[in-house]
Amino acid sequence: MNFRGLFLSGLVLLTTSFDLQAKLYSSPILTEAHNLLVNQPQRTLIITQNYLEQRRLSKPQDPSRIHLNGEADHSTRTPLNTVNALQLQAQALSLLQRPELAIKAIRKAEKKAFDNNFMFSVFESRILLAQFYWINLSNSATALKILNTLSVDIKHSQPIKQTRQQQELKYQSLMLRARIESSLNKDEAAEKLFIKAKGYLVAFDDKDETINYQLTLGQHYLRHHHYDMALDRLLSGYWLAVEHEDQPQIARANYELAQLFEERHVFDKALEHATQAGEFFERYKRTQQLAKTLTLIASIYEQQGRYNLALVHYFNALDQENQLKHDVRSASLRLNIARVYLHLYNYPKTEQYIIQARNLALQSGNENIVAESQILQGQLELEKGALDDAITSLQAGLISASRIGATDLQLIGESILSKAFEKQNDYYNALLSQRRYEQLYVGKQKKRDQK
């Protein structure tokens, strides 16, 4: 089935992330578990559980060769491979949105590594722990605290002092910290960390990681609307990936370029890059990336006013996210579907999907989607002529959006609220809403100009 045909079918999708790093294992079973991690974390979980439960722990005769120690005896597992299995298990649990169990497994891996003086694996486990707190629990403060302590411990760790392993750990730690700071809108702090990380990368002379670095920096610039710099980095990463025939990174670059062109409203280019990315993700069953690509293409079609095509893609993305049990993304997609139905004047369907989105958002505690659903409800009521209800819903949404600092939602809400007051012939409040809109817009532009 080709990529375009896939849009009309439902798939069982499994979550992943773009930046899982490759690692070599001496055990074929763990190599298999690693290879399945991105697309089939449930299989990785089963394999590692069986590996840990069905094999007894052995003690290596030559500790100095532990990293090269294979497992000819299938009834035993080495201490290092035990640590590796626990790390894989933790990553699978993280991808399956089971953070408490992921943290428990990675702490167990850290302790086992520490007991055997595998300091590289100790620190590697702590980096994963920080990643889990950031990605799964949205706890940036704890993640950064872990990385701060890690930085000191690496510096004073004799077993790996002044080795390539130490440099690799510092690089990984700096890159994770940079991504966290970037997500917290600390633009300058993140860029300094990226520059510092590059110093270690130059020493590695690692082509694969150079591509990853360029694309990650491009993502950072794109997040902060530095479009020219983002384009430069993303294209650099893209052409490096083409030169080295690195198809996964080509697909990743295409996805990021599609996002950039979509934000710049260059929709033909955005669709071209998104389709190329999607073809790879479908062919190699990179299911979570495919779901995100479907959503991106749907958004492009919606902005072009091609609403039926947008609905097809949103629905297929929703099928996939439902099977992944990603409530937040499912709720967001339902709001997208509701908005498209509103464009098509299908008010019953619009209300149906707004209610579904709000219920999911309340269950998961996502205030942003709750606020967005309230504002979209107000827009629906305005279209239906229920002005009092529209004003009540819009004001509730604006209070929620203001509480969480969602400026873009506030802008949308104030714009619609001004129209609602105007339709009521309440020109005083319509003018107040318009002025609040203008103040928010000026404030947003000032923040952008300061970057």
Side-chain angles (χ1 to χ4, degrees), residues 287-304:
T287 49
Q288 185 56 63
Q289 292 100 316
L290 179 57
K292 291 179 180 179
T293 306
L294 284 164
T295 303
L296 176 59
I297 292 176
S299 174
I300 295 167
Y301 281 135
E302 182 186 350
Q303 291 174 78
Q304 289 181 316

Side-chain angles (χ1 to χ4, degrees), residues 7 17 28 45 63 153 159-160 237 249 256-258 295 309 313 393 429:
F7 295 155
S17 62
L45 187 60
D153 290 345
I160 60 169
Q249 295 287 45
E256 297 298 336
L257 286 165
T295 303
L309 281 171
H313 293 78
S393 295
N429 278 313

Side-chain angles (χ1 to χ4, degrees), residues 314-450:
Y314 278 138
F315 272 121
N316 280 280
L318 179 60
D319 286 343
Q320 297 163 23
E321 297 293 4
N322 284 343
Q323 293 174 64
L324 285 165
K325 298 181 180 179
H326 288 161
D327 288 348
V328 172
R329 288 199 285 268
S330 292
S332 181
L333 281 165
R334 281 178 166 82
L335 279 184
N336 293 340
I337 291 168
R339 191 175 56 247
V340 175
Y341 274 128
L342 185 57
H343 285 303
L344 294 170
Y345 306 104
N346 189 331
Y347 299 146
K349 286 289 187 183
T350 301
E351 186 140 33
Q352 174 187 335
Y353 280 95
I354 289 173
I355 292 169
Q356 290 179 11
R358 185 184 299 132
N359 289 340
L360 278 173
L362 289 169
Q363 288 172 21
S364 61
N366 191 293
E367 294 183 74
N368 193 82
I369 292 175
V370 170
E372 190 176 351
S373 69
Q374 290 170 321
I375 289 170
L376 189 56
Q377 180 72 35
Q379 189 175 1
L380 169 64
E381 289 160 346
L382 177 61
E383 292 287 335
K384 292 166 67 176
L387 298 181
D388 289 339
D389 290 339
I391 289 169
T392 300
S393 295
L394 289 165
Q395 288 175 331
L398 282 165
I399 291 169
S400 300
S402 176
R403 184 171 59 247
I404 59 177
T407 303
D408 288 340
L409 277 180
Q410 289 177 271
L411 285 167
I412 294 168
E414 291 291 2
S415 176
I416 301 168
L417 183 59
S418 180
K419 292 176 184 176
F421 279 127
E422 190 175 345
K423 283 198 173 185
Q424 272 196 333
N425 298 321
D426 186 347
Y427 299 112
Y428 175 75
N429 278 313
L431 182 59
L432 286 180
S433 285
Q434 182 60 32
R435 284 179 176 171
R436 286 194 296 269
Y437 174 91
E438 291 168 359
Q439 290 169 352
L440 286 164
Y441 184 80
V442 170
K444 180 182 176 181
Q445 290 301 113
K446 281 183 178 178
K447 285 182 181 179
R448 184 171 292 187
D449 292 342
Q450 287 170 358

